[in-house]
Amino acid sequence: MKFISWNIDSLNAALTSASPRAELSRRVLSTIAGENPDIIAFQETKLPESGMNKKQQDALTIFFPGYHVEWVSSIPPARKGYAGTMFLIREGMEAKLTAPKIEAPDTMDYEGRILTADFGDYYFVTVYTPNAGGELLRLPERQDWDRLFADYLSALDKEKPVIACGDFNCAHEEIDLAHPENNHFSAGFTDEEREGFSNLLDKGFVDTFRFIHGDVTSVYSWWAQRIKTSKINNSGWRIDYFLVSDRIKDKVKRSEMLDSGPRQDHAPLVLEAEI
């Protein structure tokens, strides 16, 4: 089985905009399509509550014919066109879909941040983890989220193995970002967020990239858009992950970032596992 995860940062922009960045996004979509995955997970789709319109559906089908689409979007009381997650699942694969609420604080449970597919033998989960925000204003809520999401995955794991992917908005270790010395009080690398990620792994999950590649450095999944030279200089962060239940880690054969060319922001991840 081959899985791909990507924070697309607006599905509509990637599919229908004529901007130079949208053109780069479509190159990434072509790269994903070339991998011929069984399941694709998108985060930060930014779709309205009603989902895709026909223009978006048609554009997506050009890249990915032969998939059925499942999605969850932000709904009131959360703000419109915010967050959101989506699955593209190869036709013929059957799954029971849920968009769980985990009793998260504020409007987090209404922002379309988690989508879970039950494929019978395993769960596949995608997540778009809330950012702690500027000046870490949302850090206390983020800590609650991390604890609750870890408990949610742990509960699933008690039933059957779990594959979880997405934008976790956390560089776990110092080797997961280019300049750790400057970022200990930055959102995504605070001690609190790193502890939350450690707590998740301690519940029986494995970071598949580290499992396959060990302590390799200078490999990242995100480069800041606001810094024009971030990708040229590879001043990045690894904040996107594929996690699996510890008991199926030996089934993982490939876990890496796909080449996203000159496009800054997130790169897609690919996981291949004998499951």
Side-chain angles (χ1 to χ4, degrees), residues 3-8 24-25 27-33 35 37 40-43 64 165-166 209 219-223 231 240-242 254-261 263-271:
F3 309 87
I4 284 180
S5 173
W6 187 33
N7 180 320
I8 194 170
L24 293 177
S25 296
R27 291 187 200 176
V28 177
L29 288 171
S30 293
T31 297
I32 292 172
E35 288 282 336
I40 303 164
F42 289 136
Q43 304 91 41
F64 304 109
C165 69
F209 179 84
V219 181
Y220 308 119
S221 68
W222 176 83
W223 301 263
K231 196 159 194 183
D240 303 86
Y241 298 83
F242 266 106
R254 180 188 179 199
S255 180
E256 61 192 44
M257 272 58 82
L258 295 178
D259 183 6
S260 56
R263 183 186 186 275
Q264 294 181 191
D265 204 43
H266 295 264
L269 279 60
V270 60
L271 177 81

Side-chain angles (χ1 to χ4, degrees), residues 5-6 43 49 52 78 143 147 187 200 206 212 232 244 249:
S5 173
W6 187 33
Q43 304 91 41
E49 185 176 353
M52 289 188 293
Q143 289 178 267
R147 175 180 53 82
L200 171 56
V206 171
I212 294 292
I232 294 171
V244 300
K249 65 184 180 183

